[in-house]
Amino acid sequence: MRVFKFGGSSIASAAKISNVAGIIRRELKSTPLVVVVSAIGKVTDMLAETAALAGNGDAAYRDKLEGIASLHGGIIRELFGTEASAEETWLGEMMAELNDVLHGVFLLRELSDKSLALVLSYGERLSCRIVSRYMHVSGTPAECVDARSVIVTDDNHCFAKVDRLATGKLIHERFRSFDVLPVVTGFIASAPDGSVTNLGRGGSDFTATILGAALHAEEVWIWTDVDGFYSADPKRVPDARVIPEISYAEAMELSHAGAKVLHPLAVQPVMKAGIPLRIKNSFNPEKPGTRIGIEAAGAEALPGTVTGLTSINHVVLLSLSGSGMAGVPGTASRLFTCLARHSINIIFISQASSEQSISLAIAPGQASMAKKVLEEEFAREIEERRIDPVSVRRNLAMVAVVGNKMLGHPGVSAQLFETLGKNGVNVIAVAQGANEMNISLVIDSADENKALNCVHESFFLSMRKVHVFIVGTGTIAKSLISQIRRHRATLQKELGLDVVVAGLANTRSMCIEPAGIDLEHWHDSLKPRESHEGIGQYIRLIQERNLHNTIVVDCTASRQVAECYPALLRANISVATANKLGMAGPWDLYRKIMDALRSSNAKFLYETNVGAGLPVINTLNDLKNSGDKIVCIEGVLSGTLSFIFNELRKGGRFSEIVRKAKESGYTEPDPRDDLSGADFARKLLILGRELGYQLEYADVECQSLVPEPLRGEMSPAEFLDQLSSIDDWYVDEMASAASEGMTIAYTGELRDGKAKVGLKRVPLESPVAGLNGSENLVVFTTERYLKTPLVVKGPGAGGEVTAGGVFADILRIASYLV
Ligand SMILES: NC(=O)c1ccc[n+]([C@@H]2O[C@H](COP(=O)([O-])OP(=O)(O)OC[C@H]3O[C@@H](n4cnc5c(N)ncnc54)[C@H](O)[C@@H]3O)[C@@H](O)[C@H]2O)c1
Ligand SMILES: N[C@@H](CCO)C(=O)O
Ligand code: NA
């Protein structure tokens, strides 16, 4: 025999009741059933509101009552069709009776618990009769059983305590044998004087488990509108999944903090009797649901030590602190007694061993009252300054990590705090009981979703996510997007890492999609931006989204974007950038970035700022960090300038080569940034700063190849059109150098904190003269690499190699985050 309980959502309409009837009929084929029903969805709330209006002497209760009558009337007509009239007559009688009760309340302007319990009882009495009659007329003989005849309680009418012994006996007698399907009212019971009581919030679950325990049912199934206990609230954690099996204790821990699937009180009767409970979805009955039993059986349970996460969205933290608390027994006792006296429920408690402070989380609605009564209680101590005024901290949430197997398992809290820390979630208070089944944290409300998602991913999922927000949709960004698109599945499979491109923006348009932009058609998702805020709007939205494991990837050449780095880092958002205007920006910006980075848990990587995808910055830092001393860094660090002279050597014309460099994606958005030497100079500036020199851009000696007349305001296209005027000069210059066995190249050098870039004649056999395409050449002369310098050489510009370098930086950040 099984006990089934259907919640209000499962019977909220005629169609839903008929669906439930189908479930019952199907299950009856394999085992006898006792069915418990709640009131029809929302009816209990409607009854409570009606009663409150009547109690306030507000005649509007009649309209509310009318609403309740017509809700049930509609369902009856739909379910019973031509045979509805008998049921309608009965409904009319019930409503008249209820109206009398409410009229009395209205006249007296007094709503006692006793009257309220009576009013509320109509919800289950109505639904029970409707469901049982419907079963009956549709071919399954059934009868309505009023639980008041079998469940007896004390006279605490709205939250009555069950007399288990007497109730057990009555249930046995009533259900010793039955040949028609019993449909029992949930929630209600009777007091010793015969008046109606109810079992409090979630009471119908309790009715079902009391029946199940007394009747030694094989299982008790709670039918609801979700697939079972989720590993976290699916509304907040999209990746949450149904937990197949959990223990009674875990179910109680999970239901305490917010998981509203089951009332914790309801677990007790079946736990004592060792009867499994199952949570099932009446709208998805094929799903196995969650089985709650003595031990979560290994095979089916999710791997790992943590079973589930819960949160309470709004709590307030009260703290009682003061130097006069330590070693004074009785302070805690007075604190708790005082709160209990005022019926203030404590959700969370924490006291550190210094005994200087006790923190409590309570519901926000009780905070002012709690502060007031505690300050009265400790008035003398506060006056004598042994205890401080009670501090109240609002806008907080409580998150709890729950699991049987956390007991004696080192590393769970380490993993929890590490994940939160890397995501910049500040933990305000912590509590863990010695049963080690629950670690509860109080955090800022704004961080709740982020915390739940990163902790959930860390404990439950083999696949970890990073959310990438790209700025810029030009050459580098395009290559990067296509590299991520092509390589994503491999990363998922081989690293368990999901690189989700959650945002894209350029100067005019943007798109934010936390679940991931479709990278095949990313163009289509871009929508025009409200321009007045510039890129600031995008950055602000990224911060507001507050997703876990967020990385902003800068593929622009924009100063405005670079100026956002400090704020991003302070918000614990990591940055990977190809844009040099941060690290080579004014010293003040550079300082701000470095300061923000030091106080941040986020990462900031910029390998492509020098030599594009070539390992220049990482190499330099490896040398430096391992104690080598850099003597000199020299070579060619401009892909564009390298390309120009490599092509000139083959006999090309200057202006055409520049055009080709631009088409190949080597140049900066404005090629004059390359020809002026500025881009090269910035790279030496960055390397100099890496070595600890306080350099400004103006400190780099820089020779410009942009002809004087072409330095003013003009578009890159106009510039290119006018550039041919200097082609002949380069032809002559190359020829003159060649006649001496030399060639010309644009090179740079950083030595003793001095940097310079410019044109140079070099022997034809020198390595610089042997470069091809956009190749860069970086020569590190160090104490260790003195006779034979360390050389890094390879293509130093272009979409694919640069995007590859940016992608590698993203993956470095990801491997830190997850
Ligand atoms: N091209 C290379 O080989 C190479 C190599 C290393 C580093 N980089 C760096 O990569 C960056 C991008 O280069 P690219 O060749 O892709 O340039 P690009 O001109 O093709 O693309 C720049 C993109 O940035 C966007 N943008 C500019 N200002 C913006 C702003 N304020 N807000 C939002 N978007 C803005 C533009 O709309 C455009 O989509 C540059 O900083 C460059 O120095 C380039
Ligand atoms: N424009 C740059 C790109 C690489 O930073 C270059 O030509 O080197
Ligand atoms: Na590099």
Side-chain angles (χ1 to χ4, degrees):
M1 197 272 300
R2 285 181 189 157
V3 177
F4 278 12
K5 176 254 167 174
F6 291 94
S9 58
S10 296
I11 53 169
S13 67
K16 288 175 181 172
I17 292 175
S18 134
N19 170 55
V20 161
I23 293 174
I24 294 173
R25 261 193 285 280
R26 228 177 7 257
E27 297 293 332
L28 267 176
K29 287 186 191 138
S30 52
T31 180
L33 296 176
V34 171
V35 170
V36 175
V37 290
S38 298
I40 285 170
K42 304 247 169 29
V43 168
T44 305
D45 287 343
M46 291 165 85
L47 286 165
E49 287 162 21
T50 313
L53 287 171
N56 286 330
D58 186 339
Y61 82 86
R62 294 193 191 105
D63 300 334
K64 282 257 174 215
L65 187 60
E66 201 42 56
I68 294 170
S70 75
L71 174 79
H72 288 88
I75 290 177
I76 285 174
R77 278 189 295 283
E78 229 182 292
L79 283 176
F80 297 95
T82 52
E83 261 134 79
S85 73
E87 299 307 314
E88 283 184 297
T89 310
W90 160 80
L91 176 66
E93 284 161 16
M94 290 290 275
M95 286 295 140
E97 213 181 283
L98 176 55
N99 188 35
D100 288 347
V101 176
L102 288 164
H103 187 61
V105 170
F106 172 72
L107 291 178
L108 288 170
R109 294 193 175 213
E110 185 195 294
L111 179 66
S112 65
D113 276 3
K114 194 171 181 174
S115 319
L116 178 61
L118 174 60
V119 172
L120 296 182
S121 74
Y122 280 83
E124 273 71 13
R125 285 155 66 193
L126 293 170
S127 65
C128 184
R129 156 99 177 206
I130 294 172
V131 172
S132 61
R133 287 298 302 156
Y134 179 68
M135 292 303 305
H136 201 80
V137 301
S138 59
T140 306
E143 62 177 339
C144 172
V145 179
D146 189 322
R148 286 178 295 175
S149 64
V150 288
I151 301 183
V152 286
T153 66
D154 65 6
D155 60 1
N156 189 359
H157 286 92
C158 284
F159 191 25
K161 188 163 176 290
V162 176
D163 178 343
R164 297 289 285 276
L165 212 63
T167 298
K169 272 195 201 132
L170 287 169
I171 291 174
H172 265 284
E173 279 162 28
R174 175 64 180 75
F175 295 96
R176 188 176 299 139
S177 67
F178 50 87
D179 10 278
V180 299
L181 173 76
V183 180
V184 188
T185 55
F187 185 59
I188 65 174
S190 64
D193 68 355
S195 58
V196 189
T197 60
N198 69 51
L199 306 180
R201 217 185 88 218
S204 295
D205 294 349
F206 199 22
T207 308
T209 55
I210 290 170
L211 281 166
L215 296 171
H216 304 292
E218 139 213 344
E219 287 195 3
V220 175
W221 291 18
I222 306 291
W223 291 86
T224 175
D225 59 353
V226 290
D227 284 343
F229 264 105
Y230 276 84
S231 49
D233 180 353
K235 286 195 205 89
R236 290 172 180 270
V237 180
D239 292 330
R241 15 160 117 180
V242 173
I243 313 172
E245 296 217 13
I246 51 174
S247 69
Y248 297 116
E250 286 170 323
M252 285 192 282
E253 290 283 351
L254 285 172
S255 354
H256 261 296
K260 289 175 198 75
V261 191
L262 177 69
H263 196 272
L265 202 65
V267 178
Q268 283 167 5
V270 280
M271 179 166 75
K272 254 196 191 152
I275 298 168
L277 258 177
R278 198 181 281 274
I279 310 295
K280 295 273 292 177
N281 188 348
S282 62
F283 305 108
N284 209 354
E286 294 75 30
K287 285 276 161 75
T290 297
R291 184 181 183 277
I292 303 163
I294 291 171
E295 255 312 315
E300 253 192 282
L302 289 176
T305 44
V306 174
T307 306
L309 297 182
T310 55
S311 60
I312 298 181
N313 313 142
H314 303 289
V315 298
V316 163
L317 200 64
L318 290 185
S319 298
L320 189 72
S321 333
S323 51
M325 283 169 60
V328 182
T331 311
S333 157
R334 279 169 63 201
L335 169 69
F336 295 123
T337 309
C338 169
L339 293 176
R341 219 172 28 240
H342 293 88
S343 306
I344 293 165
N345 183 43
I346 302 168
I347 301 168
F348 166 107
I349 307 171
S350 165
Q351 180 192 291
S353 60
S354 65
E355 304 175 35
Q356 301 277 343
S357 161
I358 303 176
S359 298
L360 309 169
I362 62 172
Q366 296 189 305
S368 312
M369 157 87 127
K371 178 173 165 67
K372 182 172 155 278
V373 299
L374 286 178
E375 287 182 349
E376 278 162 18
E377 172 69 36
F378 291 99
R380 225 182 74 206
E381 287 84 350
I382 293 175
E383 199 187 328
E384 291 167 0
R385 301 188 179 227
R386 284 184 284 130
I387 288 182
D388 305 330
V390 175
S391 87
V392 178
R393 196 160 166 180
R394 293 177 189 275
N395 301 322
L396 303 176
M398 206 198 70
V399 171
V401 173
V402 172
N404 265 349
K405 293 199 263 344
M406 280 161 42
L407 179 70
H409 191 106
V412 177
S413 54
Q415 188 177 337
L416 173 66
F417 291 112
E418 186 184 351
T419 309
L420 293 172
K422 284 178 175 169
N423 274 287
V425 176
N426 183 36
V427 176
I428 297 164
V430 187
Q432 179 194 290
N435 71 1
E436 298 182 38
M437 270 193 65
N438 179 321
I439 306 176
S440 299
L441 311 169
V442 175
I443 58 174
D444 213 280
S445 290
D447 285 333
E448 183 185 347
N449 284 1
K450 176 159 77 173
L452 286 172
N453 278 285
C454 69
V455 172
H456 185 266
E457 207 171 271
S458 157
F459 284 106
F460 292 94
L461 304 180
S462 48
M463 185 78 73
R464 312 285 294 273
K465 263 186 213 155
V466 289
H467 295 103
V468 171
F469 290 85
I470 298 175
V471 201
T473 55
T475 308
I476 306 303
K478 281 196 186 93
S479 292
L480 178 64
I481 292 168
S482 97
Q483 287 180 11
I484 294 176
R485 179 172 56 75
R486 282 179 278 136
H487 199 51
R488 187 172 172 194
T490 311
L491 286 173
Q492 290 173 342
K493 205 165 89 212
E494 290 180 1
L495 297 184
L497 177 71
D498 191 10
V499 179
V500 178
V501 176
L504 281 175
N506 55 33
T507 33
R508 285 180 304 279
S509 52
M510 62 176 255
C511 163
I512 291 186
E513 180 45 68
I517 293 167
D518 172 6
L519 297 186
E520 294 274 3
H521 308 103
W522 59 269
H523 269 294
D524 304 339
S525 49
L526 286 170
K527 297 278 169 313
R529 210 173 47 213
E530 296 154 33
S531 55
H532 60 277
E533 243 188 298
I535 197 62
Q537 184 196 14
Y538 182 61
I539 301 289
R540 181 170 54 76
L541 290 174
I542 295 171
Q543 284 181 251
E544 279 171 16
R545 284 287 175 158
N546 206 10
L547 297 176
H548 67 289
N549 300 340
T550 291
I551 308 174
V552 168
V553 179
D554 182 1
C555 297
T556 72
S558 157
R559 176 163 313 247
Q560 206 197 0
V561 178
E563 280 166 357
C564 298
Y565 302 161
L568 287 168
L569 294 171
R570 274 198 306 274
N572 285 291
I573 294 173
S574 295
V575 177
T577 178
N579 179 0
K580 300 157 198 121
L581 297 190
M583 294 309 275
W587 181 258
D588 185 49
L589 175 60
Y590 174 80
R591 254 309 13 116
K592 281 189 184 138
I593 297 170
M594 290 297 122
D595 288 347
L597 184 58
R598 250 191 301 280
S599 62
S600 173
N601 289 343
K603 293 274 171 209
F604 178 67
L605 296 181
Y606 45 93
E607 174 58 77
T608 52
N609 278 5
V610 183
L614 298 178
V616 178
I617 291 173
N618 287 329
T619 303
L620 176 59
N621 282 314
D622 284 349
L623 293 171
K624 197 180 80 180
N625 294 337
S626 63
D628 203 351
K629 293 272 172 313
I630 311 296
V631 178
C632 169
I633 302 173
E634 61 198 323
V636 177
L637 275 170
S638 164
T640 302
L641 294 171
S642 177
F643 180 75
I644 291 172
F645 290 98
N646 300 338
E647 293 296 305
L648 282 174
R649 231 165 275 134
K650 294 186 200 155
R653 289 187 72 76
F654 188 80
S655 62
E656 281 159 25
I657 302 170
V658 174
R659 210 176 274 280
K660 227 158 108 191
K662 177 146 176 61
E663 282 160 15
S664 308
Y666 301 155
T667 69
E668 291 306 292
D670 184 341
R672 279 174 293 181
D673 278 336
D674 299 289
L675 297 184
S676 66
D679 179 76
F680 195 159
R682 287 190 187 114
K683 289 167 182 165
L684 284 188
L685 175 62
I686 292 170
L687 296 180
R689 286 176 173 177
E690 288 297 293
L691 288 176
Y693 297 109
Q694 185 173 340
L695 291 173
E696 283 287 6
Y697 177 76
D699 297 330
V700 184
E701 214 182 296
C702 176
Q703 180 185 359
S704 176
L705 304 187
V706 180
E708 225 15 279
L710 304 189
R711 289 184 190 175
E713 280 292 315
M714 67 178 75
S715 71
E718 280 173 87
F719 167 73
L720 286 175
D721 287 343
Q722 298 183 31
L723 197 57
S724 54
S725 58
I726 55 163
D727 286 352
D728 290 341
W729 186 85
Y730 281 99
V731 175
D732 297 345
E733 197 58 16
M734 272 290 173
S736 137
S739 67
E740 296 170 13
M742 307 282 272
T743 181
I744 40 179
Y746 196 100
T747 66
E749 180 186 284
L750 173 69
R751 187 188 290 273
D752 300 328
K754 298 242 174 326
K756 59 173 184 220
V757 295
L759 273 185
K760 200 160 126 182
R761 284 201 179 189
V762 293
L764 274 167
E765 61 278 10
S766 91
V768 170
L771 292 176
N772 279 302
S774 71
E775 276 174 1
N776 281 15
L777 174 76
V778 195
V779 180
F780 293 97
T781 307
T782 72
E783 278 181 3
R784 286 182 199 145
Y785 293 93
L786 198 56
K787 282 205 184 114
T788 313
L790 188 160
V791 173
V792 176
K793 181 181 151 184
E800 280 299 296
V801 291
T802 308
V806 176
F807 199 178
D809 273 351
I810 294 173
L811 296 178
R812 274 184 208 107
I813 296 173
S815 80
Y816 156 79
L817 286 175
V818 305

